[in-house]
Amino acid sequence: GGNMRKLTILRRKSFVGSLVTLKVYIEDHISGELTINGVPCRKLGNIKNGKEAVFDIDNTEAKVFVIADKISKNYCNDSYTVPAGDDDVSVSGVCMFNPASGNAFRFDGVTDEATLKERKKGTRIGIIVLIVALVLGFGVGLLIGFTSEVRESPKEYNVYNMSITLTDKFKSDSSVSGFDACYASNKVIVFFLRENLSNIPGYEHLTVDEYGEIVIEVNDIDASKISHSDDLTYFEYNNDSDYHYSAFLYKDGETFWMIQFCTNQNDTAKYQDRIFEWAASVKFS
């Protein structure tokens, strides 16, 4: 109804999810072309990384959702309630690093309890989806753990300007979204993620440790404190009863890297030394 006004959404630039074009939907009980978290919506348009999008909306109160795609819409989303009125509305947000929520877009400055609760719920669902993806994506190998006494030889893998020496038993897995790369052997999965925070005010001078602390906090991970061994900075966590993660942090110029090694908890002790060896082999060109 009534008068039209402008809704402006700025999607701040971030390396996380940078290639994904996000979709903007608004609550609409008449058209209801897509239901998100139980709310019937229609599509307003798209918004690319680092860009601003302007939409015409009417003067009623309505929920606005930003999603990545229809498949993950119920856990990879964020919403903002536009108040009723004739004033133009301007909001901003950014894709936050969080594999569990599909690196979902997050509106800035949201204090509304309901949205914060949805976020927590979405992340929980996402973690389950992620675990399912891992289990399905890597077939039974990871679960049964083949007794691979086959000879292995060292092999170098490159992701952008980073190189790491693993073994020739690792294969690239492109089915895992939200990361720059993912390599898996029968017993170990390695996730690579890089993030440039130089364009976010206040983050230009972060140390590797501070970055790690933010990752732990933003993702609500029940993790060990940031630890150091030789030149390596890392933290460890279990995300459910089965998997153990060792996350190593690096800084290359203004870009932070997080390289996570995931093993079945029963195998963690066995692979510990090798994981540290692999993590120590990381170089940036």
Side-chain angles (χ1 to χ4, degrees):
N3 301 334
M4 298 304 280
R5 53 182 169 155
K6 300 252 180 272
L7 165 66
T8 304
I9 302 177
L10 165 67
R11 175 181 171 187
R12 295 190 286 116
K13 202 167 164 52
S14 73
F15 268 77
V16 166
S18 57
L19 301 176
V20 179
T21 297
L22 298 175
K23 297 158 187 65
V24 182
Y25 281 81
I26 192 163
E27 184 174 347
D28 183 337
H29 294 266
I30 297 158
S31 98
E33 62 186 77
L34 185 68
T35 301
I36 306 172
N37 283 0
V39 179
C41 295
R42 77 182 146 83
K43 187 173 177 183
L44 284 175
N46 297 328
I47 182 165
K48 286 194 157 73
N49 192 29
K51 297 280 182 273
E52 198 172 70
V54 183
F55 307 108
D56 287 318
I57 60 170
D58 65 27
N59 56 7
T60 53
E61 176 180 303
K63 262 188 149 166
V64 173
F65 290 90
V66 175
I67 67 170
D69 59 52
K70 290 178 180 174
I71 301 165
S72 64
K73 65 177 183 186
N74 287 331
Y75 68 88
C76 180
N77 73 46
D78 203 29
S79 68
Y80 177 84
T81 304
V82 176
D86 292 326
D87 294 338
D88 289 344
V89 177
S90 196
V91 289
S92 63
V94 70
C95 286
M96 292 296 251
F97 167 68
N98 186 343
S101 65
N103 294 332
F105 179 84
R106 294 289 182 239
F107 283 108
D108 295 330
V110 169
T111 51
D112 152 44
E113 278 306 309
T115 301
L116 296 176
K117 218 164 92 190
E118 280 299 335
R119 285 182 182 180
K120 264 216 166 356
K121 194 175 91 192
T123 302
R124 267 209 313 279
I125 299 170
I127 286 172
I128 294 163
V129 171
L130 194 69
I131 290 166
V132 168
L134 291 184
V135 173
L136 297 178
F138 301 105
V140 231
L142 192 72
L143 300 180
I144 302 171
F146 299 167
T147 47
S148 55
E149 294 307 317
V150 188
R151 289 260 165 107
E152 306 179 320
S153 36
K155 182 178 170 187
E156 192 176 278
Y157 296 83
N158 295 290
V159 182
Y160 296 103
N161 65 327
M162 185 267 344
S163 72
I164 186 171
T165 304
L166 304 168
T167 73
D168 55 5
K169 293 284 169 273
F170 283 82
K171 302 269 174 286
S172 172
D173 188 295
S174 54
S175 69
V176 179
S177 64
F179 294 94
D180 290 293
C182 173
Y183 287 93
S185 70
N186 281 334
K187 292 299 195 91
V188 184
I189 310 170
V190 194
F191 299 99
F192 298 86
L193 191 113
R194 58 186 191 133
E195 187 164 42
N196 187 316
L197 301 176
S198 60
N199 49 10
I200 304 179
Y203 286 80
E204 313 86 335
H205 309 301
L206 276 188
T207 64
V208 175
D209 288 49
E210 287 166 335
Y211 176 68
E213 276 155 21
I214 289 172
V215 169
I216 291 172
E217 189 187 340
V218 164
N219 292 290
D220 211 0
I221 304 173
D222 185 8
S224 65
K225 283 279 164 270
I226 304 287
S227 315
H228 301 95
S229 160
D230 298 327
D231 290 337
L232 296 170
T233 303
Y234 66 98
F235 63 89
E236 299 182 87
Y237 65 100
N238 298 325
N239 73 344
D240 69 350
S241 54
D242 294 325
Y243 294 105
H244 178 82
Y245 289 79
S246 306
F248 293 84
L249 306 160
Y250 307 83
K251 190 174 184 182
D252 168 42
E254 295 188 314
T255 304
F256 291 95
W257 283 74
M258 179 163 70
I259 301 176
Q260 299 188 65
F261 297 84
C262 168
T263 47
N264 215 305
Q265 280 181 29
N266 314 333
D267 293 330
T268 303
K270 196 164 96 193
Y271 282 93
Q272 193 74 356
D273 291 350
R274 304 194 66 184
I275 284 172
F276 276 83
E277 232 169 85
W278 292 334
S281 74
V282 169
K283 292 184 187 60
F284 300 98
S285 58

